[in-house]
Amino acid sequence: MRRSNKNSKRYVNPTSIAVVVATAVGLVLLGIVAIYNAELRPVSRDTSTKLVEIPRMGVRQVARRLKQEGVIRNALAFRMLAKTSAALNKCPAPKAGFYDLSPSMSSEEILQRICAGKVARRKVTFPEGFTVEQMAERVEEDLKLPAADFMVGATGARVKRGVAFPLPKGSLEGYLFPATYSFPVGEKSELLASDMVAAFNDRFAVPYAAEIRKSKFSVHELVTLASLVEREARVPSERPLIAGVMVNRLQKKMRLQVDASVQYALGKHKSRLLYRDLKVDSPYNTYLHAGLPPGPICNPGLDCLKAALRPAKTPYLFYVARANGRHVFTKTYQEHLGAVRAVR
């Protein structure tokens, strides 16, 4: 007779079950890691950069912004990466600012740049003779800083660095040294102004301190005179001569009658001034008011500052511009009228 197997049970090894489960879990985890790593890869091979603003916000918002800008593949993967970095104290928090980012960068490279605060920088050139308003417009265009903010920050009261001369509390017109600077995009306006005033200090006020002390003019008067020369002179070699004419007129208490000061008083440039323009009611109108205007009319370069400091010793009291930018210099008013007729 056959024995009944009714009560017999098949034996299953628990170790085998554990191995199978562990293998399955391991494969799932490997798959998740593979997907996670894939989502951290660069979006494309496009190496062109774009300027991305990262305001002061949490990691979730930063990840969303980067995804919207098209420089990361997956916002969730970026958040996980950022949280891991924060846990390891590699990146406590992303730093606000403007960044040059590229789709060819991995999420890790982007996170490292933001955590290190390697913000985008731009070279900005301010030509000699630019006014504060013109500088503000360029700052807005190149550094993404509102022009109005720059105007507020470009005052003596906001400058953060010490200088070797007294600064006006108000507008820094004249003291923002024209040059090429490398500034962080979105930098605070008072820091921009501080760097530019520091350049004025380092390039003019300190090297020429001994001559400035011997001058008949204060630093502010020298800068004001230099700004007039900057706007009047078109030929570099004539700068000391034009400065000499202005000094002669000041000594004789004659009105300077500088067209550039009237342009500044009008608040706009005109290719040709009319007689009614010469009557504009402003302390900057040197046709109406004797002496130097109350302050600079632009930001002069080093050569014009040196011309104001070292004006040419000349007998001339008048000059008129030719079409080629050069001037005819004369001693008397009658000679001047003759030169004007000859030029025009």
Side-chain angles (χ1 to χ4, degrees), residues 3-259:
R3 292 182 180 178
S4 174
N5 293 328
K6 189 174 182 179
N7 295 324
S8 66
K9 295 182 179 179
R10 182 177 296 176
Y11 176 75
V12 179
N13 191 339
T15 303
S16 300
I17 296 175
V19 170
V20 172
V21 172
T23 302
V25 171
L27 290 173
V28 171
L29 290 176
L30 286 174
I32 292 174
V33 170
I35 295 172
Y36 171 71
N37 288 330
E39 292 301 309
L40 296 179
R41 289 185 297 108
V43 173
S44 69
R45 294 181 180 179
D46 181 7
T47 58
S48 63
T49 60
K50 63 189 306 185
L51 190 65
V52 180
E53 182 183 7
I54 303 297
R56 296 190 183 282
M57 54 173 56
V59 173
R60 182 185 295 272
Q61 291 78 16
V62 170
R64 186 181 299 121
R65 171 67 61 87
L66 295 173
K67 174 62 177 176
Q68 290 172 347
E69 294 289 346
V71 293
I72 64 171
R73 288 177 175 270
N74 188 294
L76 176 59
F78 184 88
R79 283 166 49 198
M80 293 173 62
L81 176 66
K83 288 182 178 181
T84 302
S85 296
L88 297 174
N89 204 29
K90 292 183 178 180
C91 176
K95 293 180 172 64
F98 288 85
Y99 294 87
D100 283 324
L101 303 177
S102 167
S104 64
M105 298 171 66
S106 68
S107 291
E108 187 172 2
E109 289 173 324
I110 291 174
L111 181 64
Q112 288 176 351
R113 179 166 296 188
I114 296 174
C115 289
K118 294 181 179 179
V119 296
R121 301 182 71 92
R122 295 289 184 271
K123 286 187 176 180
V124 186
T125 299
F126 301 107
E128 298 170 347
F130 255 34
T131 63
V132 173
E133 287 189 1
Q134 289 174 308
M135 288 180 167
E137 291 171 0
R138 182 151 296 186
V139 164
E140 182 171 74
E141 178 181 351
D142 293 349
L143 299 179
K144 310 306 178 187
L145 178 72
D149 289 357
F150 181 80
M151 295 295 292
V152 171
T155 58
R158 299 285 290 274
V159 167
K160 303 298 182 182
R161 297 186 183 181
V163 291
F165 56 93
L167 275 175
K169 294 298 182 183
S171 173
L172 288 172
E173 188 82 88
Y175 297 92
L176 303 177
F177 195 78
T180 297
Y181 298 85
S182 176
F183 289 131
V185 177
E187 181 66 285
K188 293 181 179 179
S189 57
E190 56 264 30
L191 297 181
L192 301 180
S194 294
D195 284 352
M196 297 168 76
V197 170
F200 176 93
N201 185 69
D202 297 342
R203 296 288 301 279
F204 178 67
V206 172
Y208 298 93
E211 286 185 71
I212 292 172
R213 285 193 296 269
K214 294 178 182 178
S215 173
K216 298 177 182 178
F217 301 103
S218 67
V219 172
H220 191 69
E221 290 171 333
L222 284 171
V223 177
T224 301
L225 177 59
S227 72
L228 296 174
V229 174
E230 186 69 73
R231 280 303 180 95
E232 289 286 284
R234 292 292 176 268
V235 179
S237 61
E238 291 186 349
R239 289 166 178 163
L241 197 54
I242 289 177
V245 170
M246 292 183 186
V247 170
N248 287 346
R249 292 178 72 91
L250 289 171
Q251 289 175 342
K252 291 181 176 292
K253 301 192 182 304
M254 298 172 64
R255 295 174 185 174
L256 290 178
Q257 297 183 325
V258 174
D259 287 359

Side-chain angles (χ1 to χ4, degrees), residues 234-293:
R234 292 292 176 268
V235 179
S237 61
E238 291 186 349
R239 289 166 178 163
L241 197 54
I242 289 177
V245 170
M246 292 183 186
V247 170
N248 287 346
R249 292 178 72 91
L250 289 171
Q251 289 175 342
K252 291 181 176 292
K253 301 192 182 304
M254 298 172 64
R255 295 174 185 174
L256 290 178
Q257 297 183 325
V258 174
D259 287 359
S261 71
V262 177
Q263 300 271 16
Y264 190 79
L266 292 172
K268 59 182 178 180
H269 179 76
K270 297 183 68 174
S271 58
R272 183 177 180 181
L273 290 175
L274 304 176
Y275 283 112
R276 65 171 177 268
D277 295 326
L278 305 182
K279 298 178 181 179
V280 60
D281 184 16
S282 169
Y284 284 89
N285 185 349
T286 56
Y287 276 83
L288 293 181
H289 302 282
L292 289 167

